[in-house]
Amino acid sequence: ISDLQRCVPEGSQATHYFESALLRKWGFVLDIEAASHYPNQINVVYSYRRSPFKYSQWVHRSGVAFIQVLGGSQGYLFLTNRLMAP
């Protein structure tokens, strides 16, 4: 969609907008935002990880699954939470 940034609600990012909307609809909540989604003026540092996150990670409300948003034709990476598996 051309000029998507104008069409999304204020405060929302156009990057992976539709992927994020689908995940919210399916009961996922944002766990960690990809480093590329922050403005260049912000330096994101994680105390438990040296490298920044390449993809945004979402976790299902039940805790059973994780999804990373790759976007475009690559779509999603789906991971089951082995700590929650039977």
Side-chain angles (χ1 to χ4, degrees):
I1 297 177
S2 62
D3 203 18
L4 179 62
Q5 186 62 44
R6 278 186 349 149
C7 300
V8 299
E10 187 176 335
S12 299
Q13 290 186 3
T15 308
H16 302 151
Y17 177 76
F18 296 106
E19 292 91 336
S20 299
L22 284 172
L23 289 171
R24 278 190 217 97
K25 173 90 172 143
W26 293 332
F28 285 83
V29 292
L30 183 63
D31 183 27
I32 299 171
E33 188 74 90
S36 61
H37 292 182
Y38 291 102
N40 291 334
Q41 304 91 320
I42 297 176
N43 185 20
V44 180
V45 179
Y46 299 100
S47 61
Y48 53 88
R49 185 179 171 102
R50 291 186 183 174
S51 60
F53 284 87
K54 186 173 181 181
Y55 305 115
S56 295
Q57 180 171 289
W58 296 71
V59 62
H60 193 266
R61 290 181 182 174
S62 65
V64 173
F66 295 95
I67 288 186
Q68 291 183 337
V69 179
L70 305 180
S73 63
Q74 294 180 319
Y76 302 98
L77 286 177
F78 183 88
L79 304 137
T80 55
N81 185 352
R82 289 186 252 163
L83 296 174
M84 300 290 286

